Amino acid sequence: MASIKDVARDAGVSSQTVSNYFNNPSIVTVKTKAKVEKSVQKLGYIPNASARRLRNQRSYTLAVGIAPSGYSQIFDPLLHALVSEADNHGLRIMLYKTDSKTDEIRQFKSLVSGGDVDCFILTDTVYDDPRITWLTSHNQAFVLFGRPWGQETDRDSSTAWVDVNGRLGIADVTRHLIVTGHRRIGFLGWPDPSGTGSDRRSGWEDAMLTAKLASKDELKSLQIESEDNIRAGQLACQKLLRKHPDLDAIVCVSDTLATGAHTFLRQDCHIDITGFDNNSSAQSLGFISLEQPSSEIAHELVRIAIEKISEIEHGTVHADLQSQHVLLTPRIVHG
Amino acid sequence: MASIKDVARDAGVSSQTVSNYFNNPSIVTVKTKAKVEKSVQKLGYIPNASARRLRNQRSYTLAVGIAPSGYSQIFDPLLHALVSEADNHGLRIMLYKTDSKTDEIRQFKSLVSGGDVDCFILTDTVYDDPRITWLTSHNQAFVLFGRPWGQETDRDSSTAWVDVNGRLGIADVTRHLIVTGHRRIGFLGWPDPSGTGSDRRSGWEDAMLTAKLASKDELKSLQIESEDNIRAGQLACQKLLRKHPDLDAIVCVSDTLATGAHTFLRQDCHIDITGFDNNSSAQSLGFISLEQPSSEIAHELVRIAIEKISEIEHGTVHADLQSQHVLLTPRIVHG
DNA sequence: CTGTTAGCGCATTCAC
DNA sequence: GTGAATGCGCTAACAG
C-alpha cells in the first residue's frame, strides 16, 4: 500500500529519485541509493502495477487462451513453465477463454482495446487462421505455440512460432528401437488430417526407410489410425496385431494410445511400446516416451514475445527471422 | 486505442457523460445514450483497463496459483470454467507460480503490493496453512478450492471455501453398485494421510455399513492403498483380488487407479470398476465415474470471491457465513 | 441531467 | 545528480 511518495518522504528525497532508483539506477548516487534502498525495505514498497501500466502504455502481461475441451494444447507443465519464465522478466500471464475462433477474436478486441495485453500466445493454429489475420492487421504482437499447419507461403515468415520437432523425436525413438534389436515396428497414429500427427508419423517412416526395414508400401500396412483415447488404442493395437502378428514393437503417436496398446498387450508380452509426452501413464507403466521440453518452450515463447512487443513498439522488424521460428527437440525418456 | 475523450468529442458530449454511460447509465438521458452508443460503436471504444484500475484501486483480477508438478489441484476444465465465469463478471484470471508455500507468500506480497490482484483462489490448503495466516493478517481477500483438512476450529468459519463432496459421491456410486446387484465391493484408495482420500473412502464405508454388507472389521480388509498411478493401481488390484477372489466390484478413489484396475482385469472380467473425475480414460474404457461439477465450482468460487472483495472494501462481514462454505455434489457418469 | 475540477501512482520531460 | 512540473485514462465529487 506504500506509494512512491511514502518512500520518498521516508528516505528524504523526491519521488522522482525513487523512480530513478528503479528505472534508471545508474544516475543515482550511491549514497542516495542506500537511503532509498533502506526505505524501500522498511516500507515493503512495490511499484503499483496499474499506475506503471497506465504511464507506460504497456500491460506487462502475456495472454494465453484456454479451450473448453479438457484437452487443450497448452498442457499443465507448460503453463507452469510459462508463468515461471514470464515472472523472470517481470511479466504476468493472463488467461482468456477461446470457445471458438470467432469468440477468440472478440476476446482479442476487448483485451487489446482495454490495454490488458501486450502479446498473445496462440495454440492450435492453422494456415490462414482468422486469428492471425486479425492480429496482424491490428498490429498486435503474438507468438504461436505449434507451427501453423497447411500450405506454407512467404507471408508466414513473419509469423513467429515455437514448436516441438515430433518428426525428429519419433525418428529418434524408432532408431532406438532398431538399435536395440527390433525389426518389425508398427505405428499407431491419429487419423488425418492432423498436422502434428502426420509430422510424427513421418519420423517413424524416415527411420524405417533409412534402416531398410520396410518399403513404402509396407509402411502403409504397418500403421493404423485411432482416435486419441485408451479404448480406441487398445482396439487399434489388436487390429494391427491381427494383421501383423510378428510385430516386435509399436511406436505410438501419443501416450494415450501407447497406454491403450500397453494395457492391451499386458506385461507378459514381448512387444515394446513407445509413446509421446511422458505423462504419468508412461511413467507408471514404464514404456518409452518423448518429453516435451516445457521449460525451453516457455523460454523461447517468452523471449520471442518480448521481441515482438519491442518490434511493435518501435515499429521495426530488427529481429533475425530465423530466431523466431524455433523447433525444439523432445527428449527420450526410458520407462 | 480510442479514449473516452475521443468518444466524448465524437458524440458531442463531455467525457463524464461517457463515463456515466458505462458506470451509471440510469442518470443519462435516453437521447444522450443513443449518441454515445453510436460513437462507442463507431470507434470501437473499450475503456482502458489500467486507467480504470488505477482510478478505482481495484485490479478486477483473480489470481490462481499453479503448481510445478504436472498434477496441480486446478484441473483443466475448472480453469476454463473459472475464466469463463470470471469473464461474465468483468474479471480476469491471472496465474502465479507456487513452487512452495513460502515462495507462494512471496508472490502474494508482490501481487498485493503491486495492486495486481483483488482476490486469490487457493488450492491444496491444510489446517494452519501459512498462506491463510498471511492473507488474513494482511486483510486480503481469498477463497479456497478444497476444504482445509485437519483439525477444525471456530477460526475456520471465516475462511471461505468451495469443495466437492467426495464422501457423498462415493457413497452414491457404491449404492448404485449395490442396487444393481453387487455385494462384495472392495475399495482402492490413496495412502494416508490424505484428507480427500479419507473423505472419499468414508463414503464407501458409509454405504457398505448401512447396507450391512460388511462389518467394520471386514471393511479394513476389503480396502487397499495405492499411489495414484496406473501401474500401482494394477498391482493393488491384483493384491486385493488375491485376498478377496470373490469381489464383484471395486470402488476406486480416482480414475487413475480405476484405469489401473480396469486394465488389469480386462474386458472379459465380471468385476465392475468405478472411478472419480470422469477423465478421458473413464470415458474411453467405459467405467462408471464421478464428474466434478466444474461450472458450479467456478460459479461459486467467483461468487464468493466477489463477496470477499466487497467485504474487504467496506470492512464489513455482511455475508451469510454458510454461503461461503459450499459443498457441491459430483455427478455419477455411467460409462 | 450535464460539464468542470481533481487526483489515483508513476515516469518522462525539463530546470537547477 | 537531483527536484519540480505534466499527463497517461478514467471516475468520484461537485457545481451548473
Side-chain angles (χ1 to χ4, degrees), chain A residues 14 16-17 28-29 32 55 57:
Chain A
S14 82
Q16 351 347 297
T17 305
V28 181
T29 318
T32 315
R55 182 58 178 84
Q57 302 286 44

Side-chain angles (χ1 to χ4, degrees), chain B residues 14 16-17 28-29 32 55 57:
Chain B
S14 83
Q16 291 1 286
T17 306
V28 180
T29 319
T32 315
R55 183 59 178 84
Q57 301 287 38

Side-chain angles (χ1 to χ4, degrees), chain A residues 7-313:
Chain A
V7 177
R9 193 177 321 114
D10 188 85
V13 298
S14 82
S15 55
Q16 351 347 297
T17 305
V18 180
S19 175
N20 289 336
Y21 170 82
F22 285 105
N23 302 56
N24 204 353
S26 60
I27 70 166
V28 181
T29 318
V30 181
K31 246 175 59 184
T32 315
K33 240 179 221 167
K35 285 195 293 186
V36 175
E37 163 75 15
K38 209 180 105 189
S39 300
V40 166
Q41 287 290 334
K42 184 171 129 194
L43 302 176
Y45 169 71
I46 308 254
N48 180 290
S50 300
R52 221 159 63 96
R53 293 203 249 258
L54 176 59
R55 182 58 178 84
N56 295 348
Q57 302 286 44
R58 297 240 284 118
S59 66
Y60 301 97
T61 102
L62 273 27
V64 174
I66 178 158
S69 82
Y71 185 69
S72 74
Q73 290 263 358
I74 292 280
F75 46 103
D76 223 52
L78 177 55
L79 211 46
H80 179 267
L82 224 32
V83 172
S84 188
E85 187 64 27
D87 193 55
N88 291 340
H89 296 267
L91 299 172
R92 308 261 181 231
I93 299 287
M94 169 183 288
L95 260 27
Y96 68 94
K97 77 184 168 87
T98 71
D99 288 353
S100 71
K101 294 235 191 324
T102 50
D103 175 70
E104 193 165 347
I105 289 182
R106 205 174 314 130
Q107 295 284 336
F108 288 167
K109 238 186 126 147
S110 152
L111 258 11
V112 171
S113 310
D116 259 316
V117 168
D118 285 341
C119 182
F120 289 91
I121 294 176
L122 303 187
T123 61
D124 200 22
T125 50
V126 294
Y127 176 74
D128 260 349
D129 198 303
R131 297 172 299 169
I132 298 185
T133 311
W134 193 94
L135 290 169
T136 306
S137 71
H138 285 75
N139 198 34
Q140 179 61 43
F142 67 94
V143 201
L144 313 184
F145 171 53
R147 282 159 281 180
W149 296 108
Q151 202 180 339
E152 318 240 340
T153 69
D154 288 353
R155 115 177 226 285
D156 284 326
S157 66
S158 66
T159 299
W161 50 256
V162 175
D163 204 355
V164 172
N165 196 337
R167 182 174 189 162
L168 178 57
I170 290 287
D172 277 346
V173 94
T174 305
R175 282 190 283 267
H176 171 78
L177 288 171
I178 295 172
V179 299
T180 52
H182 302 78
R183 289 300 173 264
R184 295 291 287 172
I185 306 173
F187 185 81
L188 191 41
W190 289 325
D192 280 322
S194 157
T196 307
S198 311
D199 185 57
R200 293 183 188 175
R201 186 199 303 126
S202 57
W204 165 75
E205 291 170 346
D206 291 349
M208 291 295 278
L209 289 174
T210 305
K212 300 203 197 313
L213 287 177
S215 68
K216 279 207 169 181
D217 279 346
E218 283 170 316
L219 282 184
K220 286 237 183 314
S221 154
L222 280 169
Q223 64 180 269
I224 191 167
E225 295 176 350
S226 161
E227 294 294 324
D228 197 49
N229 68 63
I230 294 184
R231 183 73 194 123
Q234 292 178 328
L235 294 173
C237 177
Q238 181 175 32
K239 210 163 146 192
L240 187 62
L241 278 176
R242 205 169 291 152
K243 195 155 50 161
H244 295 284
D246 58 337
L247 287 186
D248 53 19
I250 301 177
V251 172
C252 303
V253 73
S254 73
D255 277 352
T256 306
L257 288 184
T259 300
H262 192 273
T263 55
F264 172 75
L265 294 170
R266 325 216 51 177
Q267 308 306 123
D268 44 341
C269 181
H270 61 287
I271 301 179
D272 273 345
I273 300 293
T274 75
F276 201 114
D277 257 1
N278 193 33
N279 70 14
S280 57
S281 300
Q283 290 170 36
S284 76
L285 293 175
F287 55 78
I288 294 173
S289 191
L290 289 158
E291 186 179 72
Q292 308 240 25
S294 311
S295 305
E296 292 176 56
I297 298 173
H299 184 82
E300 296 297 324
L301 244 17
V302 171
R303 177 184 65 73
I304 296 178
I306 292 172
E307 272 183 26
K308 281 290 177 189
I309 293 169
S310 146
E311 283 183 28
I312 290 212
E313 190 182 2

Side-chain angles (χ1 to χ4, degrees), chain B residues 275-293:
Chain B
F276 201 114
D277 257 358
N278 192 35
N279 70 13
S280 58
S281 300
Q283 290 169 35
S284 76
L285 293 175
F287 55 77
I288 295 174
S289 192
L290 289 159
E291 185 179 74
Q292 307 240 26

Side-chain angles (χ1 to χ4, degrees), chain B residues 198-246:
Chain B
S198 310
D199 185 56
R200 293 183 187 175
R201 186 201 301 128
S202 57
W204 165 75
E205 292 170 345
D206 292 348
M208 292 295 278
L209 288 174
T210 305
K212 299 201 196 320
L213 287 178
S215 68
K216 280 205 168 182
D217 277 346
E218 283 171 315
L219 282 183
K220 287 235 184 315
S221 154
L222 280 169
Q223 65 181 270
I224 191 165
E225 293 176 352
S226 162
E227 294 294 325
D228 197 50
N229 68 62
I230 294 184
R231 185 72 193 125
Q234 292 178 328
L235 294 174
C237 177
Q238 180 175 32
K239 208 162 148 193
L240 187 61
L241 277 176
R242 204 170 291 151
K243 194 156 52 162
H244 296 282
D246 58 337

